[in-house]
Each structure stands twice: as structure tokens, then as C-alpha cells.
Amino acid sequence: MENIWFIAAFWMGLALLASLISIRLGISVALIEIVVGVIVGNIHFGQYHHLLRTTEWTNFLAMLGSGVLTFLAGAEIDPASLRANLRASLSIGILSFLLPFLAVWAFAQFVLGWPLHQAQIAGIALSTTSVAVVYAVMIEGGFSNTSLGKTILAACFITDFGTVLALGTLFANFNIWLLAFVVILSVMLWFMPTWTQLIITRLGATRVSEPEVKFLFLVLFFLGGLASTAKSEAVLPAYLVGLVVAGVFLRDKTLVHRMRSIAFTIFTPFYFIKAGLYVSLPALWAALGIIMVLLALKLVTKFIGVWPLTKVFYMRTREANYTTLLMATGLTFGTISALFGLQNKIIDQTQYTVLVTVVILSAFVPTLIAQKFFQPRLKVMIAWGRLYQRKINGKSSAQPIPTKG
């Protein structure tokens, strides 16, 4: 099937099917799209003729999906809330990265017998938290504007920032382009709030031509291209740009809704369905033992690192479990790290398949458990912010968090 219209219709038909199933089951559409990708990706005619084709433009749309989702996740973090809950976000984010990174690295090197650099790639790939998955879950549950939701999203960013730093420190190609990328990114981050607000003020936010949306996409594409040239990743500047314009987005919710509609309609189905295509069921069966052990290791180390901290920061058991499970998800930076290792010949194809399969499963398994068994009430997620502020301000008259409804 070479007709691009039929290929696009097939992808969008799968996305529609995933939406209908998601509504019926009450499970995040991101997870259903991943499962659809796994199923369809493993149906093939003959040895090489798969039912679902990827092309350069589907790959590009998928890449845009991860970038725009990451940008929106940053843009929806209220700066004031981030500062207020910074201690909780920092602590959870740092340990969420550090323990899985060290444990998986050690396990891969000393138990599986992988060489040093291969084991380091494994540690980095499985230490991540998926901003895209967590953000999608937050949006669908209506939690993105709650104090607890913003704290979890900020902790996701810190965890993934740790993985980027680890990847950059251990394997980065330090060159003039990386220096140029850092300098230009720093300058643009400084001016982005002013530029974005100026465009909205001068040109208005209600024009059909949507200049402010085009401006943001222009910046994301330019910085993504610069990051790729510097051998970095486009999703990192996307998140940082989102963070610095979050104040503007807070005042103009219409802009958020427009970009969110574009992302969830056009881009993210390609991203999540394509993620499912990475899971090869024959390869999964062949290395099932290692995959299950690595998945368990990631979940257990996330639990050991994150869960006690959630109790320190006054979360009840239900919210503590929910937060821990969401911090155990992985997708974007996990697959990026594994692909970096494969493309630079640090890991081989078998190791890549094992790592990506674990990453994809970590996007699905903990999220499903969190949603089905530990999803908090909206008012509880809001109330946690008030309780946390009263506790850290040293007042003893805090009212308890509602136990029901």
C-alpha cells in the first residue's frame, strides 16, 4: 500500500479505535494506543511485510508528538506552584532517577555480564519517567491543574533531566555545536516569555491565522534542529521552553487548549502507536526472563526511592501509590537512550530490543495499575497542596485531607 492517503487513514482509524476502547474501558488513550501498536505491529504477511507501515512522515509526526507533549507538560506547570512544591518535586525526581540508574547499571554489569558502557546505557534507559504518559493521564483525569498533579509533572521533569545529564556526561560528543546549542538555548529561554506575550498582545489571541501558535512551533522546530545538530535531543529544549512560557499559558488558557487539541488529534496517536510497534512479541518471548527481571528491578527501585518520600511529604497511601507508579513509567527518554546506544554501536540489536521492550512495558503496566486501583479523587489532589503548604509553613492547625469523594 503506497498511497499516503490510505496509510494516513489506516493510522487514524487505529487512533479512532483506541479512543473508542479508551472511553469504553476508562483507561488512558495513550495506553490503548500503545497496545494497538503492539498488536498491529506483530501482524505481518510473510517475513517482512507488516500490516502497519511507518514512513518518513509518520516518523516525523510521531517525533512531533513527543516534542509537543513534552512542551505542553512544561507549559502547564504553574511557576508559583512549582516554587511552592519545589522541595517535594526535587526530592522525588532525584531519587526516582538515581536508584534505578545505579541498580540497573550494577545488575546489567555484574549479573548479566554486560560491559561497562552497555550497562550504563541500560541504567540510563530504565531510570526514566515518561512525561508524555504522565501528562496524558493527568489531562484525561483533569488532574493537571492540581497541586499534586503539578508536583508529579515537575518531578518527572527532574528525573528525565537527570537521565539527560547522565547521557551527556557519560557519552556526549562535546563540540562547538553543543556549545552553540547551550548558548542559543539559554538566550532564547530568557526572552521567550517576553516574545510570546508580545505576540499575543500585539496580534491578539483570537485571529484565525493563529500567529502565536505558529511562533511557538517555529521556536520548537528551530531548537529541535539545533539540538539534533549538537547530538542532543529535541524534547529537552521543548520541555524547557514550555516551562519558561508557563506563566503566559497560565493567563491564556485558550492557547493551551488549541495546542492540546492539535497535539492529541494529529501528533500523539502516531507517537504512542509507533511506540507499540517497537515491541516484538517473538523477541519478547525469547528474552522473557531478562525482560521481566529488568522491569521488576525498575519498579522496585522506583518504589524504594519514591514511596517513602511521598509519605514524608504528607501523601496518604492511595496518593503515595499513585505517585510512585506514575514515576515508574517510561517511554520517551527511555527509547531515546536505548536508540542512542544502538546508533552509536554501544549496545547490540538484542540488547536494544530487550531495553525498549522493558521501557514500553513500563509505560503500560504501572500506569494501568495506578489508574485502575489507586487513582485519587480530584478534590484530594487539590487538598494535598493545601495540607503540604500548611505543614511546611509550620502551622499545626492543618485540616485533614478528605477521606472520601
Side-chain angles (χ1 to χ4, degrees):
M1 186 168 60
E2 299 296 335
N3 189 317
I4 61 172
W5 293 102
F6 288 142
I7 295 174
F10 192 35
W11 278 83
M12 201 48 67
L14 294 176
L16 174 61
L17 176 65
S19 295
L20 297 176
I21 297 173
S22 168
I23 294 170
R24 181 71 176 174
L25 299 181
I27 299 173
S28 169
V29 69
L31 298 183
I32 302 298
E33 286 172 348
I34 291 172
V35 173
V36 168
V38 172
I39 295 171
V40 179
N42 282 278
I43 299 174
H44 52 84
F45 307 101
Q47 189 174 1
Y48 300 107
H49 300 286
H50 294 276
L51 182 61
L52 187 62
R53 285 195 54 190
T54 57
T55 65
E56 287 189 6
W57 61 267
T58 60
N59 292 334
F60 180 68
L61 289 177
M63 185 175 61
L64 281 182
S66 66
V68 175
L69 264 184
T70 307
F71 166 78
L72 286 171
E76 296 223 27
I77 293 177
D78 179 0
S81 176
L82 177 61
R83 286 193 293 273
N85 303 323
L86 189 60
R87 192 188 308 170
S89 300
L90 267 178
S91 305
I92 292 173
I94 290 173
L95 278 187
S96 170
F97 156 72
L98 200 57
L99 286 188
F101 170 61
L102 295 176
V104 174
W105 172 2
F107 180 83
Q109 184 169 351
F110 299 112
V111 179
L112 297 181
W114 293 11
L116 174 64
H117 291 319
Q118 296 178 354
Q120 288 172 336
I121 288 292
I124 294 171
L126 301 188
S127 66
T128 58
T129 295
S130 175
V131 172
V133 170
V134 174
Y135 176 69
V137 170
M138 291 291 166
I139 289 296
E140 290 180 53
F143 301 147
S144 61
N145 286 323
T146 66
S147 298
L148 183 54
K150 291 171 182 174
T151 300
I152 294 173
L153 282 171
C156 291
F157 166 73
I158 291 162
T159 298
D160 283 344
F161 195 69
T163 66
V164 171
L165 284 179
L167 199 62
T169 304
L170 296 173
F171 299 103
N173 182 14
F174 294 99
N175 54 34
I176 189 66
W177 281 110
L178 185 60
L179 177 62
F181 168 61
V182 172
V183 171
I184 293 173
L185 175 64
S186 301
V187 172
M188 294 193 70
L189 290 177
W190 180 264
F191 288 106
M192 272 304 292
T194 304
W195 291 344
T196 307
Q197 187 60 58
L198 186 65
I199 288 178
I200 293 174
T201 305
R202 293 286 180 84
L203 302 179
T206 58
R207 293 178 185 272
V208 175
S209 60
E210 307 286 3
E212 70 279 9
V213 177
K214 291 172 182 171
F215 168 71
L216 289 171
F217 277 121
L218 167 65
V219 171
L220 294 180
F221 292 171
F222 173 72
L223 290 178
L226 200 58
S228 298
T229 305
K231 308 297 182 188
S232 184
E233 292 300 335
V235 290
L236 177 61
Y239 199 101
L240 294 174
V241 170
L243 273 177
V244 299
V245 301
V248 179
F249 272 49
L250 195 64
R251 294 188 292 273
D252 187 357
K253 288 295 183 184
T254 305
L255 183 57
V256 179
H257 294 152
R258 287 174 185 154
M259 295 196 69
R260 190 190 297 166
S261 298
I262 295 171
F264 277 83
T265 305
I266 301 297
F267 299 148
T268 60
F270 288 89
Y271 170 63
F272 287 119
I273 292 174
K274 186 189 171 191
L277 298 181
Y278 281 117
V279 179
S280 166
L281 293 181
L284 188 154
W285 290 121
L288 187 61
I290 295 177
I291 289 171
M292 290 298 109
V293 170
L294 287 175
L295 178 62
L297 189 58
K298 172 173 182 173
L299 297 180
V300 168
T301 50
K302 289 278 185 179
F303 188 88
I304 294 173
V306 174
W307 198 88
L309 281 175
T310 63
K311 304 303 288 184
V312 169
F313 294 116
Y314 315 113
M315 294 183 198
R316 299 184 316 168
T317 300
R318 187 179 186 86
E319 289 74 63
N321 292 337
Y322 184 75
T323 301
T324 304
L325 286 165
L326 289 187
M327 292 304 298
T329 60
L331 192 59
T332 312
F333 282 101
T335 53
I336 285 172
S337 302
L339 188 60
F340 176 88
L342 179 68
Q343 290 177 337
N344 289 278
K345 303 186 186 310
I346 300 170
I347 60 175
D348 59 31
Q349 184 65 47
T350 302
Q351 292 167 324
Y352 171 78
T353 301
V354 168
L355 292 179
V356 169
T357 303
V358 175
V359 169
I360 302 296
L361 288 175
S362 74
F364 181 79
V365 175
T367 312
L368 181 64
I369 296 173
Q371 281 200 298
K372 296 304 286 184
F373 300 106
F374 301 107
Q375 184 158 295
R377 301 279 187 180
L378 180 62
K379 63 186 341 182
V380 175
M381 295 192 71
I382 296 171
W384 173 83
R386 293 196 297 268
L387 175 63
Y388 177 76
Q389 288 304 313
R390 285 196 292 267
K391 290 289 187 181
I392 64 171
N393 287 332
K395 298 179 179 178
S396 59
S397 57
Q399 297 296 318
I401 295 177
T403 55
K404 293 182 179 179

